[in-house]
Amino acid sequence: MMQGIRHFLVLILFFFFASNAFGQDENKSIELKKILNSIKNQYHVKFNYAEEDVVGHSIFPPPRHLPLKAILIYLSNRTGLTFRETGGYIIIYTSTKTETEHLQCAYVIDEFGQPIENAVVQFDGGVKVVTAADGYFEIPKKTQSVYVAQLGYQAAIVPAKLPDSNDCLEIVLPLTVQQLDEVVTERYLTTGMSKLKDGSFGIKPKKFGILPGLIEPDVLQAMQQLPGINSIDETVSNINVRGGSHDQNLFMWNGLRLFQTGHFFGLISALSPNLAHNIKISKNGTSAFYGESVSSAIDITSRPADIGTNTTSIGTNMISADFYTRIKTNKNANIELTARRSFTDVLAFPAYNKYSKRIFQNTVVTALSNSTDVNYKSDKEFYFYDFTAQYHQKIGKRHHFYTDVIGINNKLDFTQGTITQTNVVTKASGLDQLTLGATTLWRTKWNESHSTEVGIYGSYYNVDGINQSIEFNQITSQKNTILDAGLKLYDRRILTQTFTLHSGYQYNEIGIKNSDNINEPQYNRNVKKVLRTHALIGELEFSPENGRIFSRFGVRLNYIDPLGAVYTEPRMQFTYDIANNWKVEVLAEKKSQTASQVVELQADFLGIEKRRWVLADDADIPIQHSNQVSLGISYKNRGWLVSVDNFYKKVKGITSNGQAFQDQLELVQTTGSYTVYGTEFLVQKQFKDFYAWLSYTWNNNNYSFNGVEPKKFPSNFELAHTINCAAIYEWNNLKIALGGKWFTGRPVTPPLINVPVYSSSGIPSVAYRDPNSDHLGNFFQADFSASYTLKLSEKTSLQFGAAVLNIFDRKNIINTYYRINSNRNGVEMVNTYALERTPNAMVKLIF
């Protein structure tokens, strides 16, 4: 425990004092010769000078983000030397004061110190030039003012005079405020991840930088870096957003709801890293166009506005191989294909062995009843695949037509064997998890102020488990099947320069079937439910020209047949720039959902994918309703970002089966609610190539169930304190990330005594203390990743990546439960451990 805390403190100190190490030379005088050597390596230039001209000069080094010409002027101002570029060399010599006079110069950068290329510069309303790749330009003599503009940035007018130091003029352009999904915070935690003005977060995988432990842009792993989002068991199939369960999140792909999000039963995202163009994550203040969730909404879209050009990539890591291609069939149409398949059924690298050990512990695969390993062939036990296909047709200047198909599959087969007095007995069991879906969308832009979308979708989800038990000579077959289909209409009208109206209608029909069949003793159960939902949606957006206020107020009116339920769901997003660098944000929402997951028995579906989807009947399984409000404030200036969000959320209509209890409430069927409130804090600092961030989340999350004592007790998903931190360095094509995660242990229920208690019929059981009255030990994990892109030609590149999860190989316990050990006649504690140290590597060819 203490060793893990020391490791974590060392990481935090490294992250936030590393910047001092990067910039320490800027705070002391250095010999000019050393500065010239540094410039030579940074800009790949050569210097020619007489030794006596350079010796004896010691100055403060120039900032690393300056353009080369600006650096030379900086050095000239402080040494009196002349720097002249000629014939591939920079000649340095001593000159008179008259000779050292230079043109007035300037450069344009963004808020993070990055140069802005091709910015338009206008002098006194007349002559125009554009900035170079390093943001540099020169100002004509007698110029009074300089106007600078670039798409995506706020234009600026500055006086055309040199600063007192006679160095080049630095012009900083802030990001602009113009569109609905305007980026409020660029590079939120990493490149390609941003904060949008409606309070949501955006991820663009094609621009994705790097995060600790990730070698590819896995969106479901990346979102767990955001404050308030984590996984209680480190899987992408159990993501908890502000204290909610995984099924309370809405996962959308091109308008299609996904009921399966993980490969390897949760350790890997089921969505190919080559897939998405844009991803939007909403923790609160969700748009009224998203229903069926009482927690977050994750909207993944792979529908670009343009046709694009031909491109292909082929890659592999230590678990799977992947393929992506975009074929431009003509100037108005293209086809995009992605495919990925694991090779774990024929080849086992260390990454697969570590994943396998993590996911199959304490399951039927490893003998759920006694924790002993079963002898099965690991090289032919498991594989997964996924694929997508998209056709995009542009019709004229106004219309776009999209058709998309997706498939996701996990398949596990294993064999148990034993030797009797007469023969060898073997039994084959397996688990198959499959998703198939298709969507079609017609998008029309009638004019600059009016657009419409019409879409239809359908999906099939099935998980099928067969368990042939040697011990009991019993065969159990289980199925959970979903058919989901619907229609969506969306219309957008710009009413005035200030107001925009969004309206729509959605129809959804969903059927869920659960089947259980046992041969001995004979038992059969088939339960099927169907719900049809109609939703009317309206949102009014207010965004005045000054850009200081953005607000959107919406309402969703739902009617659910055959339950006859009618209810409204108001939503709100409001942001206000209270000062130049300060922003306040208020988000609120009321939401509901009818489909949820429950755990009936821990051994269901081999104890691996034991959660099954069910539909609400407004009796034993109520419709879930949530209310959430949050207030946040943020400060952003010169590469610094500091934000604080306070939230309150209450969810009613949950079931005890939906919370996966493994104590005295495991077989109790009742309904209740949970209430969670807390604070999320983030501080981030960015330099030119280096940035670091630290986030802290505190929350208090409590259940209340009908007929259960005590009336209030901690939630299974409560992690009271969570700290994430990372340091990331990006230089040209090299990216390196080191990070750590620490959180307090989840609640558990310990036994009162270590021996069984017996019922009147002689059945032993565990006598427990109050539910969730204790906690696991603290969790700590440090991760590392690095990537490099080798440019082979203008259109061809080779990417390399490597990552290590759990660098220190900490044995973190992520779950504990208790059971009767009949051999010892006592109560046995069973622990589930997190991933051990797990290396991974990837290589990808793009052409």
Side-chain angles (χ1 to χ4, degrees), residues 728-755:
I728 300 173
Y729 181 69
E730 296 182 0
W731 182 72
N732 293 335
N733 297 325
L734 175 67
K735 301 174 183 178
I736 300 173
L738 176 66
K741 173 179 282 190
W742 175 93
F743 55 78
T744 51
R746 65 184 294 183
V748 292
T749 307
L752 275 170
I753 53 177
N754 293 324
V755 294

Side-chain angles (χ1 to χ4, degrees), residues 687-799:
F687 306 89
K688 181 181 179 183
D689 302 314
F690 171 84
Y691 52 102
W693 53 267
L694 180 145
S695 69
Y696 167 74
T697 301
W698 167 80
N699 73 81
N700 183 283
N701 191 356
N702 289 292
Y703 287 134
S704 178
F705 283 105
N706 298 325
V708 174
E709 293 293 337
K711 293 189 177 298
K712 185 173 77 170
F713 59 94
S715 165
N716 292 339
F717 305 108
E718 181 189 67
L719 299 178
H721 305 277
T722 302
I723 299 176
N724 276 324
C725 55
I728 300 173
Y729 181 69
E730 296 182 0
W731 182 72
N732 293 335
N733 297 325
L734 175 67
K735 301 174 183 178
I736 300 173
L738 176 66
K741 173 179 282 190
W742 175 93
F743 55 78
T744 51
R746 65 184 294 183
V748 292
T749 307
L752 275 170
I753 53 177
N754 293 324
V755 294
V757 295
Y758 293 87
S759 65
S760 57
S761 56
I763 300 175
S765 62
V766 179
Y768 289 99
R769 297 181 185 272
D770 287 344
N772 292 343
S773 54
D774 199 1
H775 289 80
L776 296 178
N778 297 336
F779 177 101
F780 169 69
Q781 179 174 301
D783 304 318
F784 169 82
S785 58
S787 68
Y788 181 77
T789 301
L790 178 64
K791 199 77 172 176
L792 302 178
S793 68
E794 183 179 352
K795 295 184 178 181
T796 305
S797 61
L798 194 61
Q799 293 182 355

